[in-house]
Amino acid sequence: MRQAILLRLRKRFLMNTGDTAWVLASSALVLLMTPGLAFFYGGMVRRKNVSATIMHSFMAIAIVGVVWVLWGYSLAFGPTIGGFIGNLDWIGLKDVGTQPGPYAATIPHQAFMIFQAMFAIITPALITGAFAERMKFSAFVIFIVLWLTLVYAPIAHWVWAYNADGTASGWLGKLGALDFAGGTVVHINAGFAALAAAWLVFGRRKGYGTEPMLPHNVPFIVLGAGLLWFGWFGFNAGSALSAGERATSAFVVTNTAAAAAVLGWLAIEWVHRKKPSVVGAASGAVAGLVAITPASGFVGPIPSIIIGLGAGIICYLAVQLVVRLRIDDSLAVWGVHGIGGVWGALATGLFAGIGITVWARPEGISVIQQLGLQVVGVAASAGWSFVVTLIILLALKYTIGVRVTEAEEEVGLDLSQHREESYTEV
Amino acid sequence: MRQAILLRLRKRFLMNTGDTAWVLASSALVLLMTPGLAFFYGGMVRRKNVSATIMHSFMAIAIVGVVWVLWGYSLAFGPTIGGFIGNLDWIGLKDVGTQPGPYAATIPHQAFMIFQAMFAIITPALITGAFAERMKFSAFVIFIVLWLTLVYAPIAHWVWAYNADGTASGWLGKLGALDFAGGTVVHINAGFAALAAAWLVFGRRKGYGTEPMLPHNVPFIVLGAGLLWFGWFGFNAGSALSAGERATSAFVVTNTAAAAAVLGWLAIEWVHRKKPSVVGAASGAVAGLVAITPASGFVGPIPSIIIGLGAGIICYLAVQLVVRLRIDDSLAVWGVHGIGGVWGALATGLFAGIGITVWARPEGISVIQQLGLQVVGVAASAGWSFVVTLIILLALKYTIGVRVTEAEEEVGLDLSQHREESYTEV
Amino acid sequence: MRQAILLRLRKRFLMNTGDTAWVLASSALVLLMTPGLAFFYGGMVRRKNVSATIMHSFMAIAIVGVVWVLWGYSLAFGPTIGGFIGNLDWIGLKDVGTQPGPYAATIPHQAFMIFQAMFAIITPALITGAFAERMKFSAFVIFIVLWLTLVYAPIAHWVWAYNADGTASGWLGKLGALDFAGGTVVHINAGFAALAAAWLVFGRRKGYGTEPMLPHNVPFIVLGAGLLWFGWFGFNAGSALSAGERATSAFVVTNTAAAAAVLGWLAIEWVHRKKPSVVGAASGAVAGLVAITPASGFVGPIPSIIIGLGAGIICYLAVQLVVRLRIDDSLAVWGVHGIGGVWGALATGLFAGIGITVWARPEGISVIQQLGLQVVGVAASAGWSFVVTLIILLALKYTIGVRVTEAEEEVGLDLSQHREESYTEV
Amino acid sequence: MNKIEAIIRPEKLDAVKDALAEAGFVGLNAVSVTGRGVQRGVIQQARGAPPVVVDMLHKVKIEVVVKEGDTEKVIDTITKAARTGNIGDGKIFVSTVADVIRIRTGERGTTAV
Amino acid sequence: MNKIEAIIRPEKLDAVKDALAEAGFVGLNAVSVTGRGVQRGVIQQARGAPPVVVDMLHKVKIEVVVKEGDTEKVIDTITKAARTGNIGDGKIFVSTVADVIRIRTGERGTTAV
Amino acid sequence: MNKIEAIIRPEKLDAVKDALAEAGFVGLNAVSVTGRGVQRGVIQQARGAPPVVVDMLHKVKIEVVVKEGDTEKVIDTITKAARTGNIGDGKIFVSTVADVIRIRTGERGTTAV
Ligand SMILES: Nc1ncnc2c1ncn2[C@@H]1O[C@H](COP(=O)(O)OP(=O)(O)O)[C@@H](O)[C@H]1O
Ligand SMILES: Nc1ncnc2c1ncn2[C@@H]1O[C@H](COP(=O)(O)OP(=O)(O)O)[C@@H](O)[C@H]1O
Ligand SMILES: Nc1ncnc2c1ncn2[C@@H]1O[C@H](COP(=O)(O)OP(=O)(O)O)[C@@H](O)[C@H]1O
């Protein structure tokens, strides 16, 4: 009898329905972020490019949704090849079953896999803001397959891959760089890929600097920001891979940092531009969510306010800087995700362990040392992302081309790439 | 003491908070699918019919939300009358309490009831695409009450009703036809009801084939598709009625099939229409979600890719076929839900048990036999739905009428049925 | 060994992953309600005020998101000062950790805190409908800080605050007034604040009663209503603070009452206005959700239908009454939230305990007595809200001003307050 | 050459444009307008506001430029296709056009119409 | 008959149309346009782009067709109602209309105005 | 004074308005229209409906009122900026304007243009 209880107990301690429920719910939430992003970006472009812009995000879901299952997950999280990339043991999800896996003791391995799939989906979608309103659709399809394989999978592996015995196997993870929910893997990664694309490959949109390119639909932007905020609870609190103290703490700081970042962005905008804008509020929210991402399981509420306020201000300035440099990062991906991610990664080093009881800093590592590790993490992911993205895009540029013709750009991508208009007249 | 532990344990094993959390969350997700559908459909119609189209879905929530509690649930899931329909023992949710019920051992009976309510809500809402832009509102209200009672309740009973001892009580369920999350009950059912309506009752819209009837708002369509995709995780993974391996597996294949179906639809569209469209991507996603629905608890990731790709291609062709036949199934309900559902039901027979460890095929039933059972399930639900829907609609047609006048149709349903315009000018 | 099991068991019984998962999911759902509200309101205003209206809700998230963490939660839920307000012991979330707290035994204290934060966010956002299309943005920012501190925090404390020993500490809670999920704290509170604002402070919009002020985008209204409905499951069922019978029951009655209220509103509108409108359906849904809120953990399905039907009809009439009185409560906050909340509070007194097994009426309190207690709750919250809101707004009015200039109002708040237009032309 | 501007019910646009094509007048352009005329507006009520007569109603304005001699035929075609006999059917305004230029070719005058 | 086209600030539409009705001119139609004039555009900045002078500003164009003799009165009415005195108040163009047809009745000329 | 109405491809609006400004013609207004001309429409298919030729295509109409003497220059400027050489480039209509009033000042005639 006691035997039986113990057995059932053990099983219960292994597989936990509450944890599984939370990770599944979180996976759904993170999936929703990509349609959210579609609207965040779709609202910002001009009328003639709305559907094409939305399509970029939607295609990320479709393409990565399949690629991840086929080989992406194995490369990113499979048994390591020298800490650099996973091997192909788990190709087609071979051996990735519904029993708890190496990554989480209380949920099915596939739950972890699909949760990670959602991260792999949104990351390339984030990049698309850099070449919005001028990317060729056919090239985009190829780009996303290559990028996921050559950029996302390795970086995810460096930071998050584990051995079967539960020790880190990726080189950055082993080193001790902290990234709770994807500051480096997702945001710095996407941000620096965006910079490479906008600065060195695509060039500026026709009319950049002379024609207004105002958001065609501000409510769509806020809808997107709202869905992103909502989904980000899954992103960060889901990264606890369980429904307990850690998830709760991550949830709390996520909300708080985002709120503070709205205030930060609006404050500086109010001073600089004389009026606080609605697009600014939405942008600030995203900046704050980005910055808290790497820190979300490591800090308490008060640091999260500082991280958020900082993100609002720093990202605002970063976006202005890009504009000064006349780099047409059309929807400000680098300023918000790249720099927001860098700020978050550094702030994680600074504040980790403060105001939080469920986690404590690894002993014997000083703040300065941790900051150093964070810098390594930032540099490695930013560098790899920038360089490899550049190579991929240049290869495409000089073969099939990455940019639509000038006439197609003038007509708009909706008509030229998809032969449909977003809205009917009359 | 030990006694006490055991008691508490037993209680815990009976009612499980993780399972309950997941089923409640799933119920909320499935509820959201209907507003999602409202936008999916609302974006596709012309400006003058937007609100009226959205209203159809919204009314499904309101009407079925009440009817289900009053008598729908009892008819569908109550103690069986010959395997054909439930009796009225549970009228007004009498005896449907918050203790675990016959349908799930670890969640409150009412949680199962409300989860099922959401399925009953979206099914008639799906049909409304068939008579979009010409249905009379008053007739619609009556239609939905009758349809739920006479079509939905019986078919749900056939497939999903159980006896108190946990054995199937509906005749199709007893037979062994597999339908994890509603391929027959929801999609084939709605699809063939749509066919009856569009083909034999409503006739074509004024201007069909001569006037363009382009989607007035493509972003709305994608918003709808995004919300549907998000909600579908509840639909399929929630159908496990627990938060464990089965739910996880269903979640994974749902996402994978949908992604693959987008690729399938776009591929054939790219060849056939020369350009891949955003509406096509959204349609493909829905087709894939439909097709994986019956299979979602029975297959693993690789079969789900095949099911998805197949759905994209087959549903694309089915939609073209309906157009060739000049049947004005205005928003392609039959092609996507009817045929997508049939494909899914058959594919379930083919692939059940492949790539999945948490469930195994019933022993002694060959693939051919299972396919036969699936055909019976398809035929029974499609047949009943087609015939009884036809009878209901014809009865309404020859009494109060189902179609607005030509002048009302020209002016649009927003003004003629609801005296309001969807958007203001200037 | 046994010791160990017991320990782990105890820990498990203390902290429950299923309950935590559900409360976190609910918190996310309630957060989403505020963007939902932004669209519900944003769709109703004229084109020139869309973004500014949406911004009101978005700012509520940002401002309250920070204020709540800094001092709001401590004032509302901290150790009581005479049953009237919390002290500042928990300022900056000091002592509000991730272990279970006084408010819920099975979830982290911070989970309760963040769940409550979402309520504190949406309540002031609800009020903004009263002064839509004419509120000065800078004044709004100050208003929301003051209002949260002086109106929301005390009322929440009265109704929901507990001592460390788990007994009610707020005076209304101690008295025995029932409010499961916020009928008084959220809806009556917001509704009567709205009345004070619209009636005695802001005056009517320019063109009120002569110019049409039709909703500029009905689909947005329904999108908002859909998100509100979805999120409300978290609002009500999450208020059980656990994932079990109580949550399930609250979930079921929430859906049922909302559905019934749509029918109630449309029925009376069909008679009175000759046509049932889509805006009416959306309004009815919200009215029903409001009315069931205080009752949601106390009644079963059949009473919920009555509460819903009643809400649809009563709120419709209340909205008409305000119009007759020529009070420009622009988006009908008082009629829907104030009166819907009053109806719900009284109905809770009437129906509490009926059709529900998981909760029983406190013994020895008759229906009449309970009704009396409910009246006290209504009067206290409505009175405090009305008076203190009035004082705050008048103080602002006679210092920095609360209303934009006539020219700014004509041009619209989007341009005048935020220097951006919601939509681009051409 | 004449310019014929017709303000019609939106729901009659298809009928009018098909009728014009049939009568041989392909070239035209159309725009959404809101208009006020003899037609009394409808009473509409926003959720929190009193019922108000909405006097500006949604109409479509079409413009057709034709040779002098075709003017009557076009007026006739439009009138027939757009008429319901109820108030609110709209109006047609005729004015003179001094010159027409086809941008693609630079052709001018009646050949460019 | 004359056609009076006035390009005004969008926020003045209500005032103008009420003033016209009061002066006895009910018939009119209005359309949203974007326009450029002496008025310097405002500087706007999209999130990722440099600040740009938006020189095309949102305006409303109203059209009123009236009998010759009413022209001055209409011009006057519009001018008064639409004026703020600041740059960007807009312009009025007057042109000749050769004929007016009421679609409902087929009436023509001044009786159809 | 003349009114020059040009119906152009939407994607050419920026080019045309910049060219006009360079040529010294700042004042203008623009509106979205849908138009039908020699240009064959594109075939479009909605999800559940047969492919249909969409003959009404999205265009932009710009209106510029100028002094008589500037007419040719404006026509020329627009033609050059808007031309692609393909069918669908659009048309220009020229008509006479009897009077122009600047609302802000009440100035009339050519000084108000
Ligand atoms: N004097 C006018 N100037 C400009 N447009 C007018 C004038 N009179 C009417 N219209 C336009 O014609 C439309 C229909 O006019 P209305 O008088 O209602 O039609 P009917 O002559 O059939 O009664 C109006 O909505 C308005 O757009
Ligand atoms: N020459 C013109 N042709 C056509 N429209 C014009 C012309 N000049 C001005 N407009 C229209 O009039 C509007 C107001 O002109 P603007 O010069 O700014 O006003 P104001 O004369 O009061 O300074 C412009 O936005 C434009 O729509
Ligand atoms: N007779 C006409 N009256 C009014 N508008 C016209 C006329 N003919 C053409 N248009 C407008 O000009 C646009 C371009 O005409 P189209 O004949 O296609 O150009 P092109 O002359 O270069 O072939 C049309 O879409 C329509 O808006």
Side-chain angles (χ1 to χ4, degrees), chain C residues 23-310:
Chain C
V23 173
L24 291 183
S26 292
S27 303
L29 286 169
V30 183
L31 182 279
L32 188 64
M33 290 173 71
T34 304
L37 184 73
F39 275 77
F40 188 67
Y41 281 176
M44 271 190 232
V45 298
R46 289 166 291 172
R47 276 193 125 65
K48 59 186 177 185
N49 298 314
V50 183
S51 293
T53 300
I54 286 176
M55 186 70 161
H56 282 170
S57 291
F58 207 80
M59 287 311 290
I61 305 181
I63 296 174
V64 180
V66 171
V67 166
W68 190 250
V69 161
L70 289 182
W71 68 82
Y73 181 67
S74 190
L75 289 183
F77 290 93
T80 195
I81 304 182
F84 181 73
I85 195 153
N87 66 21
L88 291 175
D89 279 5
W90 294 352
I91 198 164
L93 299 190
K94 198 157 60 67
D95 298 337
V96 180
T98 48
Q99 283 295 308
Y103 287 98
T106 61
I107 62 171
H109 189 178
Q110 280 193 5
F112 175 78
M113 182 283 300
I114 200 71
F115 181 62
Q116 285 300 333
M118 304 313 180
F119 286 64
I121 283 169
I122 197 168
T123 311
L126 289 170
I127 305 171
T128 64
F131 44 65
E133 309 201 294
R134 58 200 186 286
M135 179 50 144
K136 199 162 139 175
F137 183 71
S138 55
F140 172 71
V141 169
I142 301 171
F143 168 71
I144 208 167
V145 175
L146 294 177
W147 193 86
L148 195 93
T149 309
L150 302 177
V151 182
Y152 187 83
I155 296 184
H157 191 84
W158 303 351
V159 180
W160 284 334
Y162 275 79
N163 295 308
D165 63 6
T167 58
S169 70
W171 73 267
L172 269 174
K174 273 199 284 200
L175 210 64
L178 296 174
D179 181 3
F180 189 69
T184 43
V185 178
V186 174
H187 297 289
I188 293 178
N189 188 354
F192 282 82
L195 185 65
W199 181 26
L200 299 176
V201 181
F202 278 86
R204 293 188 277 272
R205 283 166 292 173
K206 190 168 174 1
Y208 176 87
T210 58
E211 301 301 336
M213 295 175 169
L214 297 178
H216 91 289
N217 193 319
V218 173
F220 278 3
I221 299 175
V222 182
L223 174 63
L227 292 178
L228 283 167
W229 192 316
F230 176 60
W232 225 295
F233 291 126
F235 203 93
N236 287 356
S239 289
L241 299 177
S242 58
E245 297 185 58
R246 195 80 180 272
T248 301
S249 180
F251 193 110
V252 168
V253 297
T254 298
N255 195 67
T256 309
V262 173
L263 303 183
W265 187 295
L266 290 181
I268 188 167
E269 195 185 35
W270 212 329
V271 172
H272 178 241
R273 184 185 162 274
K274 299 297 171 314
K275 296 273 181 193
S277 73
V278 179
V279 175
S283 304
V286 175
L289 291 161
V290 166
I292 196 65
T293 295
S296 52
F298 303 122
V299 304
I302 299 300
S304 78
I305 294 180
I306 302 168
I307 292 174
L309 278 173

Side-chain angles (χ1 to χ4, degrees), chain B residues 85-103:
Chain B
I85 195 153
N87 67 21
L88 291 175
D89 280 6
W90 293 352
I91 197 164
L93 299 189
K94 198 157 61 69
D95 299 336
V96 180
T98 48
Q99 283 296 309
Y103 287 98

Side-chain angles (χ1 to χ4, degrees), chain E residues 90-113:
Chain E
K91 297 200 174 171
I92 302 177
F93 305 124
V94 182
S95 55
T96 311
V97 166
D99 204 355
V100 175
I101 297 98
R102 170 169 287 136
I103 292 174
R104 174 167 46 96
T105 57
E107 283 164 280
R108 297 182 74 139
T110 46
T111 59
V113 171

Side-chain angles (χ1 to χ4, degrees), chain A residues 186-258:
Chain A
V186 174
H187 297 290
I188 293 179
N189 188 353
F192 282 82
L195 185 65
W199 181 27
L200 298 176
V201 182
F202 278 88
R204 295 189 275 272
R205 283 166 293 174
K206 193 170 173 359
Y208 176 88
T210 58
E211 300 302 334
M213 294 173 169
L214 297 177
H216 92 290
N217 193 319
V218 174
F220 277 3
I221 298 175
V222 183
L223 174 63
L227 292 179
L228 282 168
W229 191 318
F230 176 60
W232 225 295
F233 290 127
F235 203 93
N236 287 356
S239 289
L241 300 177
S242 57
E245 298 185 57
R246 195 81 182 271
T248 300
S249 180
F251 193 110
V252 168
V253 296
T254 299
N255 195 67
T256 309

